[in-house]
Amino acid sequence: MGFLAGIALSVVALWLALRNVHLGEVRDALTSASGPSLGLGTVLILATFPLLGLRWHAVAGVRASRRPTMIELTLIGAAVNNVLPGRLGELARAAGLARDTRRSAFAAFGTVVIDRLIDMSVLAVCLAATVAWSPVPYWVRWIVALGSASAIAGVVVVAVIVAMVRRRGVPTAGRWRVRLGAFAQGLDCIGSWRAALRVALWAVCVWSAWMVGAWFIARSLGVSLSAIEIIFMTGIVGLGSALPSAPGFIGTYHWLASSTLVLYGVARPDALAFAVLVHASWFVPTTLGGCALMLRRGVTWTSLRSVSVPPPIERNANPT
């Protein structure tokens, strides 16, 4: 049911993005894009995926030697999300981490949840910092309200679960109690202020690279965006992409990105061309690269269903 709802929403979003737009003008904008600016923007946006892997490494607290593994698993997760519904890429990441570190798949998934919650929090802050200087039609107000509420609710729920686990300890009896305890243990993966600061710095690097890359892609089309406009657009696209959609956020991504630029007076053909280029800049390379890594690592769908509860989470007090 969720998959069908996502497909339906993507179709509607794609129709909204395409209506009142002459595709010939979009094609002209795409073909006239400046190669150097487009290339630099694409490189910067692609750089966010290794940075995401390094941030997840800091979140999970695994050994420094596993940094390449975390980057590979991040690309595999992106590829799975690009081609399959239901955000199964997050399960693929958790299954890969569980297999490589001999930890519970539930604990590994807890680190993935924290990793995603960090993104939601950063994007909510982006919107909160720029909404006062940005146009806010009804659909923007909904995204700001729901996205911010979701981020706050997620932080509160995780904080409560972590506090309960620290006070009562991890269950040692009962199959599902132990598994849920392992998941809660995974949520408690950032164990110090030093680790939290490291994660925060990686998050800043991730989203700074994405924003600068998007700015260069806009520039390749002759579109000039201010810092406030690019930050606001990033928050809208990022939080809006949490809505149910087709694999790869096709449709919803294009509508959100193009509609936000139109709010700032960008012509619809240029705005849609921007959305197409930004989406393609990460969708095509991560799909091809992630699928190649899946084949090399022998990742199968059976691994997504394997859930075990081995000894407590592997930690390294000072990962470097």
Side-chain angles (χ1 to χ4, degrees), residues 22-298:
H22 294 290
L23 295 182
E25 295 178 348
V26 177
R27 180 198 61 210
D28 292 341
L30 291 171
T31 56
S32 64
S34 168
S37 294
L38 178 59
L40 182 55
T42 299
V43 168
L44 286 168
I45 286 181
L46 284 179
T48 63
F49 289 90
L51 292 173
L52 282 169
L54 293 172
R55 187 190 68 187
W56 184 32
H57 170 268
V59 168
V62 297
R63 295 172 182 170
S65 60
R66 298 199 182 276
R67 285 174 177 167
T69 296
M70 306 299 275
I71 294 173
E72 289 186 2
L73 291 175
T74 298
L75 288 170
I76 288 172
V80 173
N81 281 336
N82 289 348
V83 300
L84 292 179
R87 306 295 169 86
L88 290 177
E90 314 309 338
L91 291 180
R93 282 208 287 158
L97 180 61
R99 184 180 64 176
D100 287 358
T101 61
R102 295 177 175 270
R103 68 173 65 189
S104 163
F106 280 91
F109 186 65
T111 69
V112 174
V113 170
I114 294 299
D115 195 48
R116 293 294 89 195
L117 185 57
I118 291 168
D119 282 332
M120 289 186 63
S121 300
V122 170
L123 294 167
V125 169
C126 287
L127 285 183
T130 56
V131 69
W133 295 274
S134 304
V136 283
Y138 71 94
W139 62 271
V140 170
R141 290 196 292 269
W142 274 105
I143 291 176
V144 171
L146 293 177
S148 301
S150 298
I152 293 171
V155 170
V156 170
V157 169
V158 167
V160 170
I161 293 174
V162 168
M164 290 178 61
V165 169
R166 289 181 177 179
R167 187 175 71 240
R168 300 180 181 180
V170 179
T172 57
R175 182 180 180 185
W176 280 103
R177 289 186 64 197
V178 171
R179 288 178 170 178
L180 292 176
F183 173 68
Q185 197 177 17
L187 294 177
D188 191 18
C189 53
I190 303 177
S192 68
W193 285 108
R194 182 180 178 183
L197 178 59
R198 186 183 301 113
V199 170
L201 290 175
W202 280 120
V204 170
C205 291
V206 167
W207 288 105
S208 295
W210 195 97
M211 291 179 200
V212 176
W215 183 86
F216 271 107
I217 290 179
R219 184 181 180 184
S220 75
L221 295 166
V223 174
S224 179
L225 297 176
S226 68
I228 288 178
E229 291 168 348
I230 202 72
I231 293 171
F232 184 74
M233 184 274 297
T234 299
I236 289 294
V237 173
L239 286 180
S241 294
L243 295 170
S245 67
F249 315 109
I250 293 173
T252 53
Y253 197 97
H254 300 84
W255 173 65
L256 289 166
S258 61
S259 296
T260 305
L261 262 61
V262 168
L263 294 177
Y264 289 111
V266 177
R268 289 185 179 275
D270 292 338
L272 184 55
F274 167 82
V276 169
L277 289 177
V278 172
H279 184 266
S281 71
W282 58 262
F283 180 86
V284 176
T286 59
T287 301
L288 296 177
C291 289
L293 288 171
M294 279 185 75
L295 293 174
R296 187 174 71 84
R297 292 175 58 87

